[in-house]
Amino acid sequence: KKVERSKLLRPLPLSCDHTSYRSDERDRVKSCGGRILSLDQIEGLEPVDESKWDSITLGETVDESGDPPRVWSPHGEYPGTAFTRSLGDMIAEELGVFAEPELTSLELKSEDKMIVVASDGVFEFLTNQAVLDICTKFDDPLAACRAVVAESYELWLQYELRTDDITMICIFLDDVEESSNASGPKDRASGMSSNMIAGMRPVRNEMSKEKSRHVVKMKAALPQLPDENEDFDISALLTEKSPDDKARIAEAIRASVIFKDISNQQRELIFSAMEPLSVKRGDWVIRQGEMGDRFYIVDNGKFEVRIVPDGTDPDGSGGKLVHLYVGSRATHAHPSFGELALMYSAPRAASIIAQTDGQLWALHRSVFKKILAQQNIRKDAMKELRKLDVLKSLVSNELVTLVESMEEVNFVDGALIVSEGEVGEAFYLIVKGRCQLRSSTQGAPSVLHVNNYFGKNMLLMKGNYDATIVAIGPTKCLKVTLPVVEMKIGSLLHRRNAA
C-alpha cells in the first residue's frame, strides 16, 4: 500500500491562503485604497513591482526570505498584514481585509486515499506534495502526522528565530463508496476558482532576514574554522551495519526532505558512514551558538531541546525547554535533529541535552557531501563512457556495473601516471584537475581536461600506452583495469570480434 500511494497520489488542495500573492486579493485591497508592498519595497530597498509575485510558481518553493507582500494604509506604514482576510481587524478591514470565507466542497471518490488538515505552520516550508510524500511512507496516520510535524519543526528552527503553530490531522481512506452522481475528474472541487488555484501561497526554502542576521552575528563571535578537506578517504570511515541497524536508520531518514532523492547506493554508503554514539544523562550533544557539522538520529533515549532567547544571559541550563525528542527501538520511534548541518556550516539554533542515557547515530557533513559528490562524479562518468565506441555494445545495467567498479585514484602535481610505450592494462577518466599529454607522434604537448580519458585500448586488451600522461596540479581519475572489466562484464574484445 505504501508503494502504491507513493507512486500514484498527487495532492488536490481544497483551501488557499488569503494573501497578497493572489492577484484577486490584491485587486480587492487596492480598490479599497490599500497599498501592496513588501518590507524592502516600503523601505526603498527594492523597486515596486507587482509582476515579481505574478511570476512566482505558487504552491512550490520560493526564496522570498520571509518578506512577503503586505497590506499598507495609503496614509502610513500600518497595518502591514501579510494576510488579506481576517476576523475583527478594524483598521485592516477599511483596506479590504474582510472576513468573508471561501468555501470549497469535494465529493470523495475511490481514488482518494488520504485527507490532510494542517495549520499554516506545516506548509510554511513544505509543499503539498512534500507533505503527501512523507505521509505515503507510513501505514499509520498518526506516525505520518508525527513525521510531518517533526520535519516542519526542524525546518522552522533552521530558517526562523521562532516557530509557528504546527498542527496536523491525517486520515487514511479505504473503500470509499462513490455516489451515482459523483463529479468527473475535471470538476473535482466545486467552489475553487482559478484565482484560488493560481494563488497558492509559495513555500519558503531560505532563512528569514532576521535569522540570517542572527546567524551572521553568531558566526562573527566564533573563532574562524579551517576549510574542510574534501579529498579524505571515505572508506576508512565506513563500518558494517546490521540489517536491524539499517532498518532503524532508514526509518529515521525516510521522512526527511534532504534524503529524499538519494540513490540506493548513496543510501547504503550513508548507512555505513553513520557513527554510533553512546551518551549519558546530562551530556550536551549540541550547544546553542556553536558551529554545527553533524546530523543526529535518536536510536534510543530522551533528548531535550533548549533555547536561550537572544539577548538573554545563559544560566547553564541550556535555556527554556521547547521540545523533547524520544527515541525507542521498541516503538520504532527514531526522531532526528541537526539536519541543517549537512547542508552548510551555521551556528546551532538550540542546545540538545540528554535527559536519559541513550544512543545516537551521527553523520558528518564532510562525509555526507563526499557521498553525494562521488555519486555525481560517477553519473557524469557514465555519460562520457556511453560515447566510447568500444562500449557501445553494453546495455545500461552493464555500463552501471562498469562505472561502479571504477576506482578513484589521486595524483599530486607532476605525478607521472603512465609512460609512452609502457605495457599496461588500465583505462583512466579524468574527473578533477588536468593532465599533460606528451607523445612522440605529435609536436607540442597538449592538455587533457575533466571528462577526457586515456588508455582506451586497455578496455580491450593489454598493450602499450601511446602517450605519456603527467598530472598538472592535484588530479583525480576514475580507473578500471582489464581484469576487472572481464570479471564484471566479460571480454569486450570477444564481443567486438563476434559482431
Side-chain angles (χ1 to χ4, degrees):
K1 281 186 176 180
K2 284 187 290 187
V3 173
E4 290 175 359
R5 286 201 295 264
S6 178
K7 286 185 176 180
L8 301 177
L9 290 192
R10 293 293 179 267
L12 177 60
L14 298 182
S15 64
C16 179
D17 280 0
H18 299 125
T19 73
S20 295
Y21 282 110
R22 285 175 49 174
S23 59
D24 59 332
E25 295 290 292
R26 292 201 303 271
D27 291 343
R28 188 187 68 251
V29 169
K30 288 188 293 184
S31 69
C32 295
R35 297 181 296 161
I36 306 293
L37 300 164
S38 68
L39 286 171
D40 278 354
Q41 287 176 338
I42 205 166
E43 292 174 4
L45 301 176
E46 190 177 289
V48 177
D49 181 13
E50 282 192 21
S51 63
K52 62 174 287 188
W53 301 315
D54 290 327
S55 62
I56 291 174
T57 304
L58 300 172
E60 300 300 326
T61 56
V62 62
D63 174 15
E64 45 100 87
S65 302
D67 188 20
R70 298 175 181 272
V71 178
W72 305 93
S73 167
H75 308 299
E77 296 181 3
Y78 63 88
T81 62
F83 50 81
T84 53
R85 303 193 192 196
S86 72
L87 291 168
D89 195 325
M90 295 177 63
I91 295 177
E93 187 175 7
E94 298 175 355
L95 304 172
V97 181
F98 60 21
E100 183 177 329
E102 285 180 316
L103 303 179
T104 306
S105 62
L106 175 77
E107 187 162 0
L108 294 177
K109 300 181 67 175
S110 58
E111 64 194 58
D112 297 315
K113 301 300 180 185
M114 188 184 307
I115 299 173
V116 173
V117 183
S119 65
D120 57 355
V122 169
F123 295 108
E124 185 75 14
F125 301 104
L126 294 173
T127 64
N128 290 315
Q129 188 66 56
V131 171
L132 185 60
D133 289 344
I134 293 174
C135 291
T136 55
K137 297 178 181 180
F138 296 88
D139 287 323
D140 178 8
L142 181 57
C145 279
R146 286 173 173 159
V148 172
V149 168
E151 181 70 9
S152 300
Y153 181 77
E154 183 75 13
L155 290 170
W156 271 98
L157 288 184
Q158 288 179 19
Y159 297 133
E160 274 287 0
L161 292 174
R162 62 183 180 88
T163 62
D164 203 350
D165 170 68
I166 304 173
T167 306
M168 176 171 159
I169 301 169
C170 182
I171 306 167
F172 286 173
L173 305 176
D174 292 308
D175 302 323
V176 175
E177 294 184 5
E178 297 185 26
S179 65
S180 58
N181 60 346
S183 58
K186 294 184 179 180
D187 187 28
R188 294 297 318 280
S190 63
M192 180 168 278
S193 67
S194 59
N195 274 327
M196 291 173 65
I197 296 171
M200 294 294 177
R201 186 181 68 173
V203 177
R204 291 167 51 199
N205 64 354
E206 293 291 339
M207 290 183 185
S208 67
K209 290 181 172 61
E210 291 79 5
K211 176 75 173 186
S212 297
R213 286 193 289 265
H214 183 68
V215 168
V216 170
K217 179 181 176 182
M218 294 175 72
K219 277 187 173 182
L222 293 170
Q224 208 53 27
L225 297 176
D227 291 337
E228 297 173 6
N229 180 13
E230 297 181 355
D231 289 324
F232 61 90
D233 182 11
I234 191 175
S235 60
L237 304 176
L238 304 181
T239 58
E240 187 68 26
K241 302 295 189 301
S242 70
D244 285 345
D245 290 339
K246 292 182 180 181
R248 295 196 304 275
I249 296 171
E251 179 80 14
I253 68 175
R254 67 177 177 173
S256 175
V257 174
I258 200 170
F259 295 103
K260 179 182 176 183
D261 297 320
I262 60 175
S263 66
N264 289 334
Q265 187 175 9
Q266 286 173 323
R267 193 179 304 276
E268 287 297 321
L269 284 172
I270 286 171
F271 291 158
S272 299
M274 285 284 183
E275 176 187 1
L277 299 175
S278 294
V279 296
K280 297 293 185 182
R281 178 183 177 183
D283 285 353
W284 289 59
V285 181
I286 288 175
R287 288 184 182 271
Q288 182 178 346
E290 291 185 352
M291 300 301 287
D293 58 11
R294 282 178 173 83
F295 163 72
Y296 296 92
I297 294 170
V298 181
D299 195 29
N300 206 50
K302 298 180 180 180
F303 295 82
E304 298 176 348
V305 183
R306 292 184 173 272
I307 296 179
V308 177
D310 197 23
T312 304
D313 292 330
D315 58 7
S317 68
K320 179 182 177 182
L321 177 64
V322 297
H323 191 64
L324 184 67
Y325 290 117
V326 180
S328 170
R329 297 175 185 174
T331 62
H332 305 287
H334 301 291
S336 60
F337 52 87
E339 194 176 63
L340 178 65
L342 294 181
M343 295 184 281
Y344 48 80
S345 178
R348 297 291 196 181
S351 296
I352 307 292
I353 305 172
Q355 191 182 83
T356 66
D357 292 353
Q359 291 78 40
L360 298 168
W361 295 105
L363 179 64
H364 196 282
R365 178 176 60 253
S366 297
V367 177
F368 179 68
K369 288 188 172 182
K370 183 79 169 179
I371 290 171
L372 296 187
Q374 282 186 344
Q375 290 304 107
N376 290 336
I377 285 173
R378 292 181 187 272
K379 284 182 181 179
D380 293 339
M382 194 173 304
K383 293 178 183 177
E384 295 305 315
L385 295 183
R386 287 185 190 278
K387 303 174 185 176
L388 294 182
D389 53 352
V390 297
L391 301 178
K392 292 290 187 183
S393 63
L394 299 185
V395 295
S396 294
N397 64 329
E398 289 177 322
L399 190 59
V400 169
T401 299
L402 177 62
V403 172
E404 289 180 349
S405 303
M406 298 183 80
E407 172 192 4
E408 276 192 23
V409 288
N410 293 282
F411 302 97
V412 298
D413 181 35
L416 176 64
I417 302 176
V418 300
S419 298
E420 183 176 4
E422 172 190 352
V423 177
E425 57 181 11
F427 166 81
Y428 296 84
L429 176 72
I430 302 171
V431 295
K432 183 179 180 181
R434 298 180 300 158
C435 292
Q436 184 186 73
L437 182 151
R438 299 196 298 262
S439 172
S440 59
T441 61
Q442 69 178 40
S446 57
V447 176
L448 300 178
H449 299 273
V450 171
N451 292 331
N452 290 153
Y453 54 84
F454 49 94
K456 181 179 72 171
N457 291 336
M458 307 307 170
L459 294 170
L460 297 171
M461 66 180 77
K462 183 183 292 187
N464 302 96
Y465 290 106
D466 55 11
T468 295
I469 308 294
V470 178
I472 303 175
T475 301
K476 178 183 293 184
C477 296
L478 290 180
K479 169 188 173 183
V480 65
T481 61
L482 181 62
V484 171
V485 173
E486 293 181 340
M487 179 180 66
K488 295 291 184 178
I489 57 176
S491 172
L492 295 174
L493 181 63
H494 291 166
R495 290 196 190 195
R496 189 178 71 172
N497 292 339

